[in-house]
Amino acid sequence: MMELTRKGEYAIRGIVYLASRPTDQVCLLSDIAAAVDVPPTFLAKIFQQFSKIGLVKSYRGTGGGFILGRPADKITLLDVVEAVEGPIIPNRCVINGIDCDRSSSCNVHPVWMNVQSQVRGILDKVTLKELAEG
């Protein structure tokens, strides 16, 4: 069944916390981890991924830490979930580039396509700004 992993849950907690902070405030990873009850080493790996794709910016050294890579109203829950979980795929037949020899005659294929579209649509409408403001 489609279920968010612990990594996905931790990623959401961490980045929503970051979105709740003033935009120019660099936050220490240890502070973020403590505030959202996530193991720091696990959160560090997640934020490294986020940094590579521009969801967060990282600063090293004294005064280093993390800030959002874009404004909170420009990052959606879909961006965050797919960054750590990969594409939302309710069934392998909806993966782009995968040929299913039954897709043209399968009555369930359109249902899976609709499930994927609906879930993606819901997550894409929710921004970090909304989540941070509660």
Side-chain angles (χ1 to χ4, degrees):
M1 196 61 203
M2 293 179 287
E3 182 178 341
L4 194 64
T5 65
R6 187 178 323 196
K7 183 178 183 181
E9 175 66 28
Y10 288 172
I12 292 167
R13 282 195 229 166
I15 202 162
V16 169
Y17 174 82
L18 204 55
S20 74
R21 312 310 304 157
T23 56
D24 60 345
Q25 180 183 350
V26 177
C27 296
L28 294 172
L29 183 78
S30 58
D31 292 344
I32 301 166
V36 298
D37 193 28
V38 173
T41 53
F42 203 163
L43 193 61
K45 291 176 185 175
I46 293 167
F47 272 37
Q48 281 178 342
Q49 277 184 265
F50 284 169
S51 182
K52 287 178 184 175
I53 61 171
L55 290 180
V56 300
K57 290 181 184 174
S58 63
Y59 297 92
R60 294 183 177 197
T62 305
F66 294 91
I67 61 169
L68 289 180
R70 326 192 278 263
D73 63 342
K74 302 294 184 206
I75 301 173
T76 68
L77 196 51
L78 180 65
D79 296 328
V80 176
V81 170
E82 288 194 333
V84 293
E85 302 284 3
I88 294 170
I89 301 168
N91 192 342
R92 70 182 299 271
C93 69
V94 299
I95 300 171
N96 289 336
I98 297 287
D99 285 329
C100 175
D101 56 353
R102 295 185 184 147
S103 63
S104 62
S105 62
C106 176
N107 293 334
V108 183
H109 182 75
V111 175
W112 291 128
M113 295 295 291
N114 190 34
V115 168
Q116 181 183 38
S117 175
Q118 293 291 320
V119 171
R120 290 185 94 254
I122 291 166
L123 296 177
D124 200 36
K125 289 180 184 172
V126 180
T127 68
L128 291 187
K129 181 178 181 185
E130 295 170 77
L131 294 172
E133 292 174 349

